């Protein structure tokens, strides 16, 4: 019994240690797409900010956008209780978007609380629509700075390295998936004209499948009725034969008794 208690206590202690060691991994500022984040496409991402303090609120968040992969479109979604400032910077090399060259791009978005901010025990999401996502990388790193109401500043700027342990203050990383439908970015006129054709083919195939299924389903009751009729016919023959046999036997008994 004593050995069992010691083992149980050790297991509880180990579990507690795992929880304590794992907690920081879930408490940092992160970025996650609301849907696909495909190379060359557009996406809506959420910068998730948890409050890590028990005695202070998060009142400011600054997110830097990578200059090595400038984005032609960055549009934050309004968040109640927060003021949003978008900072643009000149590009070393202009980029082309929608048939025109851009000489500047968004380099930072800042959210500043106009009220209580993110209070202890809560988190806040800050949605941003962005694109076109780069095609020459598998991820985008957004360095972030979190400021608390007690003037404490936490810099989430350490870039995680593959094969290495997660840094103490990792920067938010957006993983990019492969380009969808074999093309990059928003579909051009040619791509858009091809899309309805593909959809029509899919619809036609679906209709054909549905028709075939309906036909099969409609035929099933007829088969069932035919089978039932055959069974009833056989039962009738058996009952009739039994009746004839009974009549014959009854006649013989009467003749014998006479």
């Amino acid at each position: 019994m004593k050995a069992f208690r010691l083992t149980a206590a050790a297991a509880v202690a180990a579990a507690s240690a795992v929880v304590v060691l794992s907690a920081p991994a879930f408490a940092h500022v992160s970025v996650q797409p609301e849907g696909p984040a495909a190379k060359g496409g557009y996406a809506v991402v959420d910068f998730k900010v948890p409050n890590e303090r028990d005695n202070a609120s998060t009142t400011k968040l600054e997110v830097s956008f990578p200059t090595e992969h400038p984005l032609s479109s960055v549009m934050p979604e309004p968040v109640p209780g927060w003021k949003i400032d978008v900072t643009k910077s000149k590009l070393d090399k202009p980029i082309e978007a929608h048939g025109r060259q851009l000489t500047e791009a968004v380099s930072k978005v800042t959210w500043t609380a106009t009220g209580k901010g993110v209070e202890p025990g809560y988190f806040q999401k800050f949605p941003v629509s962005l694109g076109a996502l780069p095609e020459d990388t598998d991820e985008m790193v957004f360095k972030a700075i979190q400021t608390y109401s007690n003037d404490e500043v936490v810099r989430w700027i350490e870039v995680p390295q593959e094969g290495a342990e997660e840094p103490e203050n990792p920067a938010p990383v957006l993983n990019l998936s492969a380009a969808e439908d074999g093309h990059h970015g928003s579909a051009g006129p040619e791509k858009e004209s091809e899309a309805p054709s593909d959809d029509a083919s899919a619809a036609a195939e679906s209709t054909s499948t549905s028709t075939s299924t309906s036909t099969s389903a409609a035929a099933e009751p007829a088969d069932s009725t035919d089978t039932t009729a055959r069974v009833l016919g056989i039962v009738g023959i058996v009952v009739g034969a039994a009746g004839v046999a009974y009549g014959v036997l009854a006649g013989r008994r009467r003749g014998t008794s006479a």
Side-chain angles (χ1 to χ4, degrees):
M1 178 63 71
K2 185 176 180 181
F4 173 78
R5 290 178 179 176
L6 290 175
T7 303
V12 171
S16 301
V18 170
V19 171
V20 172
L21 293 174
S22 301
F26 296 98
H28 57 73
V29 175
S30 61
V31 58
Q32 290 293 333
E34 292 187 3
K39 297 178 182 180
Y42 289 76
V44 174
V45 302
D46 294 326
F47 291 96
K48 182 179 178 181
V49 182
N51 193 323
E52 296 183 300
R53 303 295 179 261
D54 297 329
N55 57 355
S57 298
T58 295
T59 56
K60 188 176 182 180
L61 174 69
E62 301 171 74
V63 175
S64 296
F65 286 71
T67 55
E68 66 273 19
H69 298 295
L71 301 171
S72 60
S73 176
V74 176
M75 294 186 293
E77 179 179 328
V79 180
W82 294 82
K83 175 178 174 288
I84 304 175
D85 294 308
V86 178
T87 303
K88 292 185 177 182
S89 301
K90 288 190 175 295
L91 300 174
D92 295 334
K93 182 180 180 181
I95 60 175
E96 186 172 343
H98 305 292
R100 61 190 181 92
Q101 283 196 337
L102 300 179
T103 58
E104 63 178 12
V106 172
S107 56
K108 184 170 67 174
V109 176
T110 304
W111 291 266
T112 306
T114 57
K116 295 181 179 180
V118 186
E119 298 183 84
Y122 292 88
F123 72 91
Q124 177 68 55
K125 288 183 179 180
F126 299 93
V128 180
S129 173
L130 46 80
L133 299 174
E135 303 178 29
D136 57 350
T137 183
D138 294 327
E139 63 182 25
M140 295 184 70
V141 179
F142 300 89
K143 296 182 179 181
I145 299 177
Q146 181 178 12
T147 303
Y148 287 90
S149 56
N150 59 1
D151 295 329
E152 179 186 2
V153 176
V154 181
R155 301 178 183 276
W156 304 99
I157 60 175
E158 300 178 54
V159 181
Q161 302 297 326
E162 186 176 357
E165 293 184 0
E166 184 179 65
E168 184 177 355
N169 295 314
V173 177
L174 176 66
N175 294 315
L176 305 179
S177 59
E180 298 179 337
D181 299 329
H183 62 84
H184 308 293
S186 57
E190 183 178 353
K191 295 294 182 181
E192 291 178 353
S193 64
E194 293 175 358
S197 176
D198 294 338
D199 293 342
S201 298
E205 182 178 353
S206 176
T207 302
S208 175
T209 302
S210 299
T211 303
S212 175
T213 302
S214 300
T215 304
S216 176
E220 186 176 352
D223 294 340
S224 177
T225 302
D226 187 40
T227 301
T228 302
R230 291 176 182 176
V231 171
L232 291 176
I234 294 173
V235 171
I237 293 172
V238 171
V239 171
V244 172
Y246 178 78
V248 172
L249 290 176
R252 289 181 178 178
R253 287 177 181 174
R254 290 174 183 174
T256 304
S257 61

